[in-house]
């Protein structure tokens, strides 16, 4: 039997899990990853069914059962580390994380955010882009640091904002790109091509990546 050298990945979700699905599909198509667990803070997250459907352990850790962020994140860390992942991917995990949690996964946790960071951190990014009369919008994959939606950017995708757009049509256009760039960035990491450098910047193929 050949050894499984694929990168083991734990995905954290809160909702629909379409980015999780993109990673599951990429794994099936040969991306050298093995999604070993999906964890949701919400029992009703539809993404849990996507995991179950593909035979991936789906676990629920409800934040409602915890008095504060610190104790929740400490248990979440324990749950994740049971799977000993090489990478943690936040795939629509809608929680602010404690610095202790973030530091524990420094250089091995990614997030995807639906805006061209540093623009529009936080929520309602599509409506805010429309309200700001942006002509361009998009999504960013970044290493997670203690700053909310603020870590070093690995990859961005841009889409036009069309005159007839509302938040839903714009979100759909952006999401399509998310499904492209998240597996691409995870693939670079899985192949050992991408690292968070000592200088705090992402390095690809031995070179610091240019600022987007
Ligand atoms: C995605 O658009 C993702 O970028 C966003 O939540 C959505 C999850 O969709 N994440 C954030 O806003 C994090 N700050 P999905 O559950 O279908 O992947």
């Amino acid at each position: 039997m050949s050894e499984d050298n694929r990168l083991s990945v734990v995905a954290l979700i809160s909702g629909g899990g379409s980015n999780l699905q993109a990673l599951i599909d990429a794994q099936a198509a040969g991306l050298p990853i093995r999604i070993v667990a999906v964890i949701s803070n919400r029992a009703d997250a539809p993404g849990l069914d996507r995991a179950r459907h593909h035979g991936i352990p789906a676990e629920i850790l409800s934040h409602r059962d915890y008095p504060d962020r610190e104790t929740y994140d400490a248990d979440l860390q324990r749950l994740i580390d049971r799977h000993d992942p090489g990478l943690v991917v936040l795939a629509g995990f809608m929680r602010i994380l404690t610095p202790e949690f973030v530091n524990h996964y420094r250089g091995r946790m990614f997030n995807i955010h639906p805006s061209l960071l540093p623009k529009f951190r936080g929520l309602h990014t599509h409506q805010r882009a429309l309200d700001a009369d942006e002509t361009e919008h998009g999504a960013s994959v970044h290493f997670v640091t203690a700053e909310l939606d603020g870590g070093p950017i690995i990859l961005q995708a841009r889409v036009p904002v069309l005159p007839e757009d509302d938040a839903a049509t714009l979100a759909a256009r952006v999401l399509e790109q998310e499904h492209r760039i998240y597996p691409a960035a995870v693939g670079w990491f899985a192949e050992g091509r991408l690292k968070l450098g000592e200088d705090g910047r992402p390095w690809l193929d031995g070179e610091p990546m240019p600022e987007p």
Side-chain angles (χ1 to χ4, degrees):
M1 232 170 63
S2 67
E3 216 182 310
D4 189 343
N5 289 323
R6 293 175 299 170
L7 177 78
S8 59
V9 173
V10 168
L12 306 187
I13 65 167
S14 298
S18 70
N19 277 291
L20 166 67
Q21 187 67 54
L23 291 168
I24 292 172
D25 293 347
Q27 174 181 324
L31 202 75
I33 63 169
R34 194 162 60 90
I35 304 171
V36 290
V38 172
I39 303 172
S40 172
N41 64 312
R42 295 188 177 277
D44 60 355
L48 288 167
D49 283 334
R50 296 184 190 264
R52 291 183 191 114
H53 183 72
H54 291 274
I56 302 166
E59 298 167 4
I60 298 153
L61 190 68
S62 174
H63 57 278
R64 299 223 171 93
D65 298 338
Y66 288 82
D68 54 44
R69 211 172 276 290
E70 284 69 27
T71 49
Y72 179 81
D73 279 9
D75 264 12
L76 181 59
Q77 186 177 312
R78 266 190 288 276
L79 191 58
I80 294 169
D81 286 351
R82 237 180 258 166
H83 299 282
D84 196 22
L87 180 69
V88 176
V89 296
L90 307 181
F93 188 61
M94 305 306 274
R95 285 191 52 85
I96 293 171
L97 303 166
T98 57
E100 292 74 19
F101 181 88
V102 168
N103 289 334
H104 180 70
Y105 297 106
R106 184 182 157 76
R108 52 191 183 111
M109 182 156 65
F110 287 4
N111 182 39
I112 187 153
H113 182 75
S115 79
L116 293 172
L117 290 170
K119 285 186 178 174
F120 310 120
R121 294 174 181 177
L123 298 174
H124 311 300
T125 57
H126 309 299
Q127 189 57 51
R128 285 160 61 207
L130 290 170
D131 293 346
D133 289 327
E134 296 285 336
T135 54
E136 208 178 37
H137 184 44
S140 309
V141 178
H142 63 93
F143 281 106
V144 178
T145 61
E147 199 183 340
L148 176 69
D149 299 325
I153 295 166
I154 299 162
L155 202 50
Q156 289 187 319
R158 296 167 183 275
V159 301
V161 180
L162 304 178
E164 63 272 23
D165 270 334
D166 58 22
T169 58
L170 187 53
R173 193 172 310 122
V174 170
L175 203 55
E176 209 180 299
Q177 295 304 313
E178 293 186 36
H179 299 162
R180 193 174 60 75
I181 62 174
Y182 216 2
V186 168
W188 286 343
F189 192 83
E191 289 159 1
R193 297 176 56 194
L194 172 68
K195 289 190 172 29
L196 181 61
E198 299 283 321
D199 58 358
R201 291 169 68 184
W203 283 58
L204 183 66
D205 296 335
E207 307 271 351
M209 292 182 82
E211 307 262 338

